Amino acid sequence: MEEMILKTEIQVAQLDELTDTDRQLIDMAIEATSRSYAPYSHFCVGAAIILKNGKTFMGCNQENAAFPAGICAERSAIFAAGAQYPDQPVMTLAITARNTKGELIDEPASPCGTCRQVIIETETRFKQPVRILLYGKKHTYVINGIKQLMPLSFTEF
Ligand code: THU
């Protein structure tokens, strides 16, 4: 049998190594954490995206007593943008969170499997990768396309 080793490439950046646009998007994601509705987990996730036309959207997790009815920050931003500008590719997505103490996380938080699947669909739909910025106080992970986080993904059938 042959072995297949899959490699993931992630840049680890400090804020001063990012562009102004990237930093602004991270600031929006931080702002979005304060709009989160998370009375059950108390984990407040914020996301922000920029579209090809320069429009930006925030998203945050919206929880529900019936847990699966809630939605993550990433999907709330992507679906809001899709509803307003269905023909505009998503260029970059920034994500961060506040922990249960209300503090911004030190280490970046990674999108859940369902959000990864939605980001895959977004890339398929617009035929281009979505840059992902995962912000934590220690550093930001810069990821050029969700396939870095989700290889061998299920796309079209
Ligand atoms: N959450 C997100 O908003 N994004 C993710 O990618 C992971 C998890 C939310 C869902 C739930 O409201 C809380 O974080 C705890 O899981």
Side-chain angles (χ1 to χ4, degrees):
M1 245 185 287
E2 261 183 63
E3 191 179 28
M4 187 166 70
I5 296 173
L6 304 171
K7 203 174 130 194
T8 291
E9 254 186 62
I10 295 177
Q11 268 86 50
V12 183
Q14 296 303 318
L15 280 179
D16 61 7
E17 296 177 292
L18 298 173
T19 63
D20 286 348
T21 310
D22 283 351
R23 276 197 298 266
Q24 281 161 16
L25 215 56
I26 288 170
D27 282 344
M28 282 182 72
I30 293 171
E31 162 64 22
T33 62
S34 61
R35 303 175 183 206
S36 153
Y37 176 65
Y40 303 102
S41 74
H42 303 286
F43 188 68
C44 298
V45 185
I49 60 178
I50 185 160
L51 307 182
K52 192 163 185 201
N53 64 4
K55 300 284 180 196
T56 53
F57 284 81
M58 284 189 206
C60 49
N61 51 337
Q62 305 289 329
E63 296 186 348
N64 193 287
F67 286 4
I71 194 167
C72 293
E74 297 88 327
R75 277 176 288 151
S76 95
I78 291 169
F79 293 158
Q84 292 289 312
Y85 296 102
D87 59 349
Q88 287 296 312
V90 177
M91 306 305 288
T92 306
L93 161 69
I95 306 164
T96 192
R98 283 182 198 278
N99 62 25
T100 52
K101 291 186 206 147
E103 300 157 347
L104 273 179
I105 50 175
D106 286 320
E107 290 290 342
S110 213
C112 77
T114 306
C115 288
R116 290 177 195 210
Q117 188 66 36
V118 167
I119 300 166
I120 287 270
E121 188 72 26
T122 306
E123 292 191 349
T124 306
R125 176 177 181 179
F126 297 114
K127 298 185 178 56
Q128 64 180 76
V130 175
R131 281 180 69 243
I132 301 166
L133 307 169
L134 303 181
Y135 172 78
K137 277 187 293 187
K138 277 195 192 156
H139 39 230
T140 299
Y141 292 163
V142 182
I143 302 163
N144 290 310
I146 191 66
K147 282 176 188 153
Q148 295 300 321
L149 296 183
M150 200 169 177
L152 298 181
S153 48
F154 179 72
T155 49
E156 292 140 289
F157 49 88

